Amino acid sequence: MLCKKKSKPGYLLVSSVFFLELIAVILLGQTIFYFINNQIIQRKAQYYQARSMAQIAEKLNKDEMIFNLGITKKNSGNITVTLKNGRQFTFE
């Protein structure tokens, strides 16, 4: 008689569940990275928009200017830019 190997019936199920969990963790990590990276890009874009508005107000030598994106105000040498979304930047 030949000896038959006894296979473990749950081995395939456990390995496939482990593989699916691994894929889920990788996709979750990539999603979190995407959202964090997207927030950083949006903040940089807002900063450069505010800086551009401040430079325009400075070159035109205006104390207060209203743009579509926000308002610039000149206070004692500093230019404060308030964007429509509520973020505020101050430039010297």
Side-chain angles (χ1 to χ4, degrees):
M1 260 187 156
L2 294 172
C3 285
K4 290 186 178 179
K5 263 187 175 179
K6 291 183 180 179
S7 62
K8 297 178 182 176
Y11 177 73
L12 185 60
L13 178 65
V14 169
S15 63
S16 63
V17 168
F18 176 73
F19 179 72
L20 289 175
E21 288 176 355
L22 182 65
I23 295 297
V25 167
I26 290 171
L27 289 176
L28 180 66
Q30 286 183 345
T31 304
I32 291 171
F33 174 77
Y34 168 77
F35 283 117
I36 290 172
N37 196 26
N38 195 18
Q39 289 289 330
I40 291 170
I41 290 171
Q42 285 180 355
R43 286 183 185 162
K44 282 183 180 179
Q46 290 173 355
Y47 170 77
Y48 288 121
Q49 287 170 348
R51 194 170 104 188
S52 297
M53 292 186 337
Q55 288 175 345
I56 291 170
E58 185 179 22
K59 287 191 183 204
L60 294 176
N61 204 13
K62 299 277 185 170
D63 290 336
E64 183 173 339
M65 287 190 73
I66 299 173
F67 293 92
N68 287 340
L69 295 173
I71 300 172
T72 63
K73 291 182 183 177
K74 195 172 195 179
N75 300 329
S76 64
N78 294 334
I79 297 176
T80 302
V81 179
T82 305
L83 297 178
K84 292 222 174 174
N85 64 2
R87 287 192 52 98
Q88 193 170 14
F89 298 93
T90 303
F91 301 98
E92 292 182 4

